[in-house]
């Protein structure tokens, strides 16, 4: 399904809606260029999961963890050289912990993602540079 976001607040709200549709253990795989709103979407996802704390991009830490009704593990794969590196940081352990794994730059590790991962693509809308076209596949939003 395709959605239009006209602001970071709308992007966050869509992330919160997605949270309501996810079950523990789900993987959310993001694609989209720099500055498209992947972290804003994750802020909404965290809010929807009842997570506290400031959500920031894990670019330099690879993964940030947030506690909530369901924990959120926020990965940034931008700096990983390959899928093997993902396993080196304990990917399988995160999958087994029953939280939600949100994976930015998922195309870097596509072979390591489960086949039922929810796909979220965020791109600039062709009609306005500040708007985003957000496509979500693999789950229906409430």
């Amino acid at each position: 399904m395709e959605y239009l976001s006209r602001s970071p607040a709308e992007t966050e709200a869509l992330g919160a809606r997605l949270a309501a549709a996810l079950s523990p253990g789900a993987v959310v795989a993001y694609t989209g260029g720099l500055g498209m709103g992947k972290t804003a979407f994750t802020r909404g996802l965290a809010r929807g999961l009842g997570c506290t704390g400031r959500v920031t991009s894990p670019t330099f830490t690879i993964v940030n963890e947030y506690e909530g009704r369901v924990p959120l593990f926020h990965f940034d794969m931008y700096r990983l050289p390959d899928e093997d590196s993902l396993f080196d940081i304990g990917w399988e352990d995160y999958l087994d912990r029953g939280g939600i794994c949100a994976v930015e730059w998922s195309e870097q590790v596509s072979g390591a993602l489960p086949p039922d991962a929810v796909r979220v693509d965020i791109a600039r809308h062709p009609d306005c540079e500040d708007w985003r076209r957000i496509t979500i596949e693999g789950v229906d939003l409430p």
Side-chain angles (χ1 to χ4, degrees), residues 70-120:
V70 177
L72 174 63
F73 310 120
H74 181 198
F75 293 84
D76 187 320
M77 303 305 172
Y78 187 75
R79 297 189 183 284
L80 287 187
D82 55 37
E83 292 168 5
D84 291 338
S85 299
L86 181 59
F87 292 99
D88 291 343
I89 64 168
W91 173 244
E92 292 164 318
D93 294 332
Y94 282 103
L95 293 175
D96 291 340
R97 289 173 59 186
I100 303 297
C101 293
V103 184
E104 294 191 27
W105 300 98
S106 65
E107 61 272 26
Q108 300 283 98
V109 294
S110 59
L113 300 175
D116 63 347
V118 174
R119 307 289 175 169
V120 176

Side-chain angles (χ1 to χ4, degrees), residues 7-27:
S7 69
E10 286 185 10
T11 299
E12 288 183 30
L14 191 57
R17 282 182 59 196
L18 177 60
L22 297 176
S23 300
V27 174

